[in-house]
Amino acid sequence: MDRRTFHAELRAMGSEFTMELIERTNALLAPLVPAPDESGTTRDIAYGPHERHRFNLFRPAGSEPAPCLIFVHDGGFVMGDKGAPGAPFYNNIGAWAQQQGFACATMNYRLAPEVRWPAGRDDVIAMLLHLASHAAEYRIDPERIFLMGHSAGATHVADVVAAPSGAAGKFAGAIMSSGFYDLSIALRDPFKPQYYGAELEDWSPMSPLPGLLASRAPCLFALCELDMAECHDQAKALADAWYAARGQIPVLHVQSGHNHISGARQIGSPVDSFGPLIASFIRAF
């Protein structure tokens, strides 16, 4: 499928976040994304005691230490997965990383309602510290570990950038796609209250935005043109606050012709416009 046909299909779906949009977008992308080199892949490595504390590690060819991308999946804080064997998503990101000469760790994390904020942040920190302490074993460069998340995953990454705790100085940069940064304007959909607390009237103390503004970690933010309206509101709030605090807008890329589902699932495919930006970001640091 060429880009023109692909984006025409996505535009015809619109931006309303429905199960039909999810299924149709997945059906379009699943045949297009690459499969990883399983000879360089190790699955379900434990980084903590919980059954969800597992990650898949994708290594590129060669013996030299490689930059490593940690990918934190989406799923509304209540669902989602790093990628089972043979699944298109998010093995596509591991396959893409291998092709770029990067290592990649796609991670699972604990989900609401079993846990609540800041469990996602804590799990990403635990994953990061595990990789850093096993860098030689995994053949990764401990000075070049990058965080990336989409949607809920981007919010967990934002929480780490905002309040890194023991992970301070352990990551080289962060990529956040379609995340939620200002919880004072977050919609109370069926999912977020399970993570932030339905009984709480004000979620703003849990917002990563103030910490993002204070951090000096290199950040790349992304949004999809056909994203749901809430993600556009969040990106505007981020840009406004960033400009007010720093006198400039953040590095924020709008992915033309993509929706909330295709934003990260396109990576590595022939219609991928995001992967080249991520690769350039990683190679710059």
Side-chain angles (χ1 to χ4, degrees), residues 17-30:
F17 193 64
T18 63
M19 184 56 65
E20 180 183 5
L21 179 143
I22 295 170
E23 292 174 350
R24 288 178 62 189
T25 304
N26 284 340
L28 281 175
L29 282 169

Side-chain angles (χ1 to χ4, degrees), residues 13-122:
M13 296 180 203
S15 59
E16 184 179 356
F17 193 64
T18 63
M19 184 56 65
E20 180 183 5
L21 179 143
I22 295 170
E23 292 174 350
R24 288 178 62 189
T25 304
N26 284 340
L28 281 175
L29 282 169
L32 301 180
V33 296
D37 176 2
E38 291 293 340
S39 69
T41 302
T42 307
R43 297 186 179 274
D44 294 315
I45 305 171
Y47 69 89
H50 193 274
E51 63 182 1
R52 292 276 305 177
H53 287 152
R54 300 292 184 272
F55 70 99
N56 295 334
L57 180 64
F58 305 85
R59 299 181 186 88
S63 59
E64 293 299 312
C68 184
L69 179 69
I70 297 174
F71 179 75
V72 190
H73 67 73
D74 49 358
F77 305 98
V78 301
M79 65 185 85
D81 188 72
K82 58 185 169 48
F89 319 113
Y90 282 103
N91 288 313
N92 64 303
I93 297 181
W96 167 85
Q98 288 174 325
Q99 294 169 0
Q100 298 296 318
F102 306 148
C104 178
T106 60
M107 63 173 285
N108 281 349
Y109 52 87
R110 291 170 296 166
L111 301 171
E114 180 184 354
V115 297
R116 286 173 49 166
W117 183 90
R121 180 193 70 189
D122 294 345

Side-chain angles (χ1 to χ4, degrees), residues 18 46 51 53 56 68 90 138 156 175 188 196 203 206 217 221-222 237 284:
T18 63
E51 63 182 1
H53 287 152
N56 295 334
C68 184
Y90 282 103
Y138 297 150
H156 294 322
I175 302 152
R188 291 188 175 242
Y196 292 109
W203 292 344
M206 295 177 278
F221 297 94

Side-chain angles (χ1 to χ4, degrees), residues 140-245:
I140 63 174
D141 183 346
E143 302 298 320
R144 300 185 69 198
I145 300 175
F146 294 82
L147 305 176
M148 178 183 171
H150 179 69
S151 194
T155 310
H156 294 322
V157 169
D159 280 338
V160 175
V161 177
S165 186
K170 299 289 187 181
F171 60 97
I175 302 152
M176 290 154 277
S177 171
S178 301
F180 308 103
Y181 313 111
D182 183 355
L183 297 181
S184 71
I185 62 170
L187 295 181
R188 291 188 175 242
D189 56 27
F191 310 112
K192 288 193 282 293
Q194 298 183 58
Y195 185 61
Y196 292 109
E199 79 284 1
L200 300 177
E201 293 184 5
D202 183 13
W203 292 344
S204 58
M206 295 177 278
S207 294
L209 184 56
L212 285 173
L213 299 177
S215 175
R216 287 299 179 263
C219 291
L220 169 64
F221 297 94
L223 173 72
C224 297
E225 179 189 3
L226 304 175
D227 230 320
M228 48 196 182
E230 182 179 11
C231 290
H232 285 270
D233 292 340
Q234 287 288 335
K236 182 180 183 300
L238 170 72
D240 287 346
W242 200 282
Y243 186 85

